[in-house]
Amino acid sequence: TFATAFPYLYINEPMVYGQTLLPYDNEWWRFDLPIDANNVVVSLCGSSFNTILNIYSNCNSGTPIATNDNLCGTASQVTFSYLSAGTYFCKILGSGIDYGQYQLEITGEYVPVIQVDPTITNIDCNGNSGGSITTIVTPLVGSTLPFTYLWSNGETTQSIFNLTAGQ
């Protein structure tokens, strides 16, 4: 059930292995997205039996947001182009009376999040070109350095100088 779901934790964690022991047996897993993610794949490919995979967006819903049977041979896989931040649940079961060993892998790409702190110097008089902007970019979850810059005037540096009004 939702309440006893095993924690997969986050996408891109190592693959986990488990098994259903009897016909009509099922197991539940939970994974969390701290931020939005693209191309999320929940896969049972490589499992030893005919699987069915149901994905739920919350523990109060009796209806899965996705279900799959036999995408990769007799194993199941679901792909989401986008999932918003939150907790999701996977129900793994056999088709009909099938049961056996499975391998669960959840992969995806976190939507990069950055924090930009600009330091702005306004021009001192209309018509002058003493304006400037310097940015400090801090990567947050899902982002890595280096970053590239592209200002509206074509500059590609962290700081731009000699700006006039309206630039």
Side-chain angles (χ1 to χ4, degrees):
T1 66
F2 296 109
T4 60
F6 297 110
Y8 189 91
L9 299 181
Y10 304 105
I11 61 175
N12 302 318
E13 294 284 323
M15 183 183 304
V16 295
Y17 301 89
Q19 65 182 354
T20 55
L21 300 173
L22 302 166
Y24 308 108
D25 193 8
N26 62 68
E27 288 200 347
W28 288 84
W29 287 85
R30 179 190 82 241
F31 69 97
D32 297 305
L33 295 178
I35 61 171
D36 299 351
N38 294 324
N39 304 314
V40 176
V41 177
V42 181
S43 178
L44 294 173
C45 295
S47 297
S48 69
F49 67 107
N50 190 355
T51 63
I52 296 175
L53 176 63
N54 296 325
I55 310 296
Y56 298 83
S57 61
N58 64 59
C59 61
N60 297 321
S61 174
T63 305
I65 59 170
T67 189
N68 182 264
D69 184 19
N70 300 339
L71 184 72
C72 42
T74 60
S76 306
Q77 178 174 297
V78 173
T79 300
F80 298 94
S81 60
Y82 173 84
L83 279 179
S84 59
T87 299
Y88 294 86
F89 296 90
C90 308
K91 181 180 180 183
I92 299 168
L93 62 152
S95 179
I97 60 169
D98 283 354
Y99 62 95
Q101 296 177 338
Y102 63 84
Q103 51 190 50
L104 172 65
E105 184 173 33
I106 305 172
T107 59
E109 304 160 3
Y110 286 116
V111 175
V113 177
I114 59 173
Q115 179 178 330
V116 179
D117 294 310
T119 300
I120 299 171
T121 302
N122 292 313
I123 60 171
D124 58 2
C125 186
N126 195 14
N128 288 349
S129 60
S132 66
I133 304 173
T134 298
T135 60
I136 297 174
V137 177
T138 305
L140 302 177
V141 176
S143 301
T144 58
L145 294 172
F147 294 101
T148 58
Y149 300 85
L150 178 60
W151 298 94
S152 61
N153 65 0
E155 291 286 328
T156 57
T157 59
Q158 179 179 356
S159 301
I160 54 175
F161 302 97
N162 302 318
L163 299 174
T164 60
Q167 278 189 298

